[in-house]
Each structure stands twice: as structure tokens, then as C-alpha cells.
Amino acid sequence: MNYDNLDMKHILVVYFSQTGQAKLALDAVLQPFSANTQYQLHYQLIKPKKAFPYPWKYMEFFDTFPETVQGVPCELESLTIDTTINYDLVVLAYQPWFLSVCVPINSFLQSAEAEVLLNNKPVVTIINCRNMWLGAQEKMKKQLLKLNANLVGNITFVDHSSNLTSLITVLAFVLKGKKEKFMGFFPKYGVNDKDLAKAPEYGRIIQANLEANSLKNIQIQLNEKKALDIRGNLLIMEGRAKILFPLYANFVSKKGTAGSEQRRGRVRVFGIGLPLVILLVSPIITIISRLAPLIARKKFNKEIAYFSQNTLRED
């Protein structure tokens, strides 16, 4: 590859894509860059040495819960990133697992390479998920701060179905590989075609700000184009799970490490209990979320505003 053009800007794109969803979102957002010869995109797919399966088996899927929540890294295949290049921007694409950063990307963030590559670099995150991403992005913010990286933008691609509907379709997707209409009537799961069609607008916003050497207003402009999906009912639900998930992750891991027979009983309880709790609690949380803006409008709006920007609040 010829890098002799001194005016060329280099963008490092680090991503994990187990099902292809993340790559779809990435390609759509970065289309303005790939079509411009003044930019060079450097892609790095993060690959665990022991690949996570797709489709998952039920117990394998829920057995990843403790280590994901606790931030335990996995071993990765060697990276092929050219560390001699002074990257103008880093794009990180990931999926939340159990309200946390997925294990492969979290493992990269804890690597020696990340310390070098992300130090003092502007970062844009691109998230694709069912619908809950707030807790994962908070953990992402903490990791980026440790790496002295500057989070300047965030974009989300979520499933637009109701919480209960997407609970069924996501389980069909990850456990059965069924993306199209499950059982003939549930809607197609995953990244929405309409969202992909407008994604290049986000790329043009990033590009314009990068060319102007002014990245501080990217998120404001992205928000104007509805790049973030924040739902009141899920904000409340995530707030509750944020407290409970670490407690149960610790409870499971006390019985053994990932894949051990000793903890299968506790994993099975979680695998049955989590969907059941979502099923039972979702209607109640939805009602509360509709009342919250009326009862505590100022606090509710403050939470929405906080998750619409990229700084990390103090604990």
C-alpha cells in the first residue's frame, strides 16, 4: 500500500463482527470515506483465539455472562495493524453483551496494542445491538479514558421492535441463526435497512469535521440526525440491571471458570430467569417510563441528556 500522499488521512477501524451485522453498519457509515481517495481505511477484525460460536448453544451463550460483566479478557489472534501510522481517527465497532462491551473488543481495549494505538486519538464508536447499549457504552467510556483516548462520537444501530418482540427474535437469531421472519410472523431481526440507508449521513458529518480539524461538535450534529436511540423504558430497566448483573455474575463465577461443570446449575437458572424477568417486568417498566417524565421530568430529561453525549460522569 502506498502511503506517500502526505495529505491523505488514515482511519483505523477496529471491529468485531460475529454475525456480519457490525460490518454492515460500518460499511454504511464509512461509505463517504471509502469513496474518497484522500482517505485510507485500515480495517482490523478482532479475532479470539477460541472463536465464539454462531449460532450459539443455549448454555454457551449464557455461560459467557459472568466474564463479560466482569471484564475478563480472552486471548486474541495477533493483530495486523500498522503501528507506525499516525491515525487521524479511530472507529470502534462493537456489540453489547449483557449490558457490557463484548468480550473480544473489551479484550482488545486491555491489550498493549490498544495502549499505543488509541493514546491521544479521537474515537468514534459504532454500536449494533438489540436495544440496550447505555451500560456498555459507560464501560467503553471508562476504558477509553484509561487509554487516554478522546471519545468524540457515538452511533447506534438497534432493532426497532418492542422490547418483548425483540427478546424473542434476538434469541432466535443468536441461538438458531434465524434473522428473517421467525415462525413466519415475527419481524426480521437486526440492523434496519432504513437505518443503513441513512448511515452515510453520519459518515459525512464525521468527514466534514475531520477535514475542518474540529471534532468537538460531532455528537451534537449526529444527534440532530438521530444517530442515537435512547428509550425511556430501557433506560430504567438498564439502571436496575446495572446493579443486579455484577452481583449474579460474581455468584456464578464463585462456582467455577467459564465452561466448568460446577457452575452449570447457576448458569441455567440465569438463562431461564433473565428472559422470564424481561417478559414479566417490561410492561411495568414501560408504564413507569411514561409516567417518569411527568413525575420527575427534570431528572428524566437530565438522564437522557447525559447519555446523549460522551463524557463520563463521576461515580
Side-chain angles (χ1 to χ4, degrees), residues 12 14-16 46 71-74 76 79 81 90-95 100-119 123-125 136-151:
L12 174 61
V14 179
Y15 71 104
F16 173 69
I46 300 300
V72 178
C74 68
L76 300 176
L79 305 182
I81 300 171
V90 178
V91 177
L92 274 173
Y94 76 98
Q95 310 79 40
S100 301
V101 179
C102 63
V103 172
I105 291 296
N106 190 46
S107 301
F108 165 73
L109 292 172
Q110 296 182 53
S111 70
E113 290 89 345
E115 288 185 17
V116 174
L117 292 163
L118 273 65
N119 181 44
V123 175
V124 171
T125 49
Q137 189 66 355
E138 288 299 281
K139 292 186 176 183
M140 173 63 75
K141 290 177 184 179
K142 290 179 181 178
Q143 291 282 36
L144 293 177
L145 277 176
K146 289 180 183 178
L147 294 167
N148 193 36
N150 180 22
L151 181 61

Side-chain angles (χ1 to χ4, degrees), residues 131-132 134 230-242 285 289 299-307 313:
N131 52 28
M132 296 188 192
L134 304 178
I230 304 175
R231 307 180 197 179
N233 61 322
L234 301 180
L235 189 156
I236 294 172
M237 187 174 290
E238 281 208 51
R240 301 297 178 268
K242 175 185 175 183
I285 295 293
S289 69
K299 182 178 179 180
F300 194 77
N301 289 342
K302 185 177 180 180
E303 287 296 289
I304 296 291
Y306 170 72
F307 289 110
R313 64 179 151 207

Side-chain angles (χ1 to χ4, degrees), residues 152-199:
V152 297
N154 182 34
I155 301 166
T156 63
F157 291 86
V158 305
D159 189 285
H160 293 294
S161 300
S162 71
N163 193 39
L164 294 182
T165 298
S166 65
L167 173 64
I168 295 170
T169 55
V170 73
L171 289 176
F173 184 53
V174 300
L175 301 178
K176 298 292 185 182
K178 301 272 186 189
K179 182 178 179 180
E180 301 303 323
K181 290 189 174 182
F182 180 56
M183 296 179 65
F185 59 87
F186 281 102
K188 176 182 175 181
Y189 175 78
V191 177
N192 186 285
D193 290 339
K194 291 182 179 178
D195 290 343
L196 291 175
K198 71 176 183 180

